[in-house]
Structure formats: structure tokens, C-alpha cells
Amino acid sequence: DYYLMLLPAVLYVLLFCYAPLYGLQIAFKNYKVSLGVAGSPWIGFRNFTDFFQSYYFVKLLKNTLVLSLYSLAVSFPIPIIVALILNELKGKFKKFTQTILYAPHFISLVVVVSILNVMLSPSQGVVNTILEMLGMERNYFMANPAYFPHLYVWSGVWQGMGWGAIIYLAALSSVDPSLHEAADIDGATRMQKILHINLPTIMPTIIIMLILRIGNIVSVGYEKVYLMQNDMNIETAEIISTYVYKRGLLDSNYSFSAAVGLFNNVINVILVLLANWISKKVSETSLF
């Protein structure tokens, strides 16, 4: 009976995760829709070498890593801090705060980028209006390449910090109350209890989540970046995923985009394995 219940999940994984792997071979072919996957001629690693030797390879990799590492450094610890703070709140105020923090997660990325465009508008945006009131010049933030990483990362923090804190709140629910009672008897402050009881309890969860995030360092989603792109900020806004989207779907160069995507995924797998190995050696906590 238990295996029968697992059957739908197994079929889903086979159909949507493993079956599409058949199409990976087009990364090594000059794929033509008229010839199909099997009939297209093999060209070996030409698509990969074309990508690695192109003038935009270094820029794409740099922009992707800047966004990813910046996001990791900022958006990974903030949900942990939010969860530790929420865990200390009580009653209706805690529920109200949670609702306010969770709500942005359900806002569409299109709406989030639209909010950024409206608030940062050089003519009528509230941010530039305040700057002008303070005697500063108006700035077209969305068109400035230097501001793009900051706008991308911090808008993501605002949208995701509440939702990201849920898993840590769940881990905090497993803290043994007797530990806090013993700490109260010993005269421990609230901060000491957070640092020496709560934080160590959720540390295994933090490590697992960090390993998963490291495995996505080279995979910055294209949707939000693509929506925020324009001709003036493209210098820092063009990343691997948006490039793959443009070359693959817009330019119909399926083989080249498949090769770039495969390179991306291989790097991610290597990073996951490396982070998991280091974690196992250092903390004895790992994915597998």
C-alpha cells in the first residue's frame, strides 16, 4: 500500500525530471527543428567552446556571481534573524507581524518590478521627490548600472525574508522548554538564550539551507532580472539565465542555449557536492 501511494510521485519525477534529460544531447548537436533531436548532426563541444571563447562570457559570469553572492550574503542571514525575533514575540502582535512579513511573498514579480519603477521614477517617484526636498538631485535609479545589483537584492530581501523565516520558525518550535527554564534559573538574559539555545538548535537547518543555496550560486532566475533590464543598465543586468533565454527562445538557437544551461547545471552540482563534503567534515551535518 505504501509503495502504491508513492507511485504518483515516482511517475511525476520520471516524466518531468528524468525523461527531459533525453533532450540534453542537443547541447552537443547543431539542432534543427526540421530534423528533430535524433536527426540533427553532432558537433561535439563546439557550442561550449563558442560560449567560453566569446567576449561576453566573462561579463555574464561576473554579473551572475555578483548578484548571487550579494544575494547570498544579505538574503540568507536575514530570514534567520527575522525568525529569531519573531520567536520572541507573543500573542496577536506576533501574528500581525508575521502576516505583514509574509504578504510580500505572494506579490507577483511583475508587480514588484512595477512598484520599483513607480517609486524610483525620476519624474514622479516618491524616492526622487524626497531627495529633491532634501536638496539632492533626482536620479534615474533603474537605468543606472551601479544601482542594479542593490535594487535586485534588497527588493528580493523585502519580498522573501518573511517567507524564508518559516522553516527556521518550524525548527525553533523543537527547542526543549526545559533548556529555557534552566537558563532562566541561571539568570541568563534573552540574548544569551537566543545565542546559546535557539541558534545552536537551528544550526543543522541553517547548514542544510546554506548547502542548497550554494548549489544555486550560478543559477540566478531570469524572470526578475529580465523585467528589470533596460538598454542603459544592461552592463550589469545581463546574466547567464537571461542570455540563455534570449539566445534560446528569442533567437531560436536551442543548441547553444542548451549547452550554456548544461554548463550552468554542472557547476551547480559540483558546488553542492563540495559544500556538502565540507559541511560533513566540519559539522557532521550534510544532505547525504
Side-chain angles (χ1 to χ4, degrees), residues 158-179:
W158 168 76
Q159 187 177 17
M161 64 180 178
W163 187 258
I166 290 178
I167 190 169
Y168 301 111
L169 281 171
L172 284 168
S173 65
S174 65
V175 175
D176 189 350
S178 63
L179 295 176

Side-chain angles (χ1 to χ4, degrees), residues 173-238:
S173 65
S174 65
V175 175
D176 189 350
S178 63
L179 295 176
H180 282 279
E181 293 172 0
D184 289 333
I185 294 173
D186 292 337
T189 64
R190 176 174 291 185
M191 182 59 67
Q192 287 175 328
K193 288 188 286 186
I194 291 174
L195 293 176
H196 300 290
I197 298 177
N198 293 352
L199 197 56
T201 300
I202 66 173
M203 189 56 66
T205 304
I206 293 174
I207 292 173
I208 295 299
M209 297 301 294
L210 180 60
I211 293 172
L212 294 174
R213 284 293 299 271
I214 289 175
N216 288 318
I217 280 181
V218 196
S219 294
V220 179
Y222 82 94
E223 298 94 340
K224 185 178 177 182
V225 178
Y226 187 71
L227 290 169
M228 293 178 65
Q229 279 184 358
N230 55 59
D231 292 337
M232 290 175 281
N233 67 12
I234 199 69
E235 179 183 344
T236 57
E238 187 75 302

Side-chain angles (χ1 to χ4, degrees), residues 64-75 153 213 217 220:
T64 303
L65 290 176
V66 166
L67 285 185
S68 187
L69 294 176
Y70 187 3
S71 181
L72 179 66
V74 174
S75 63
V153 170
R213 284 293 299 271
I217 280 181
V220 179

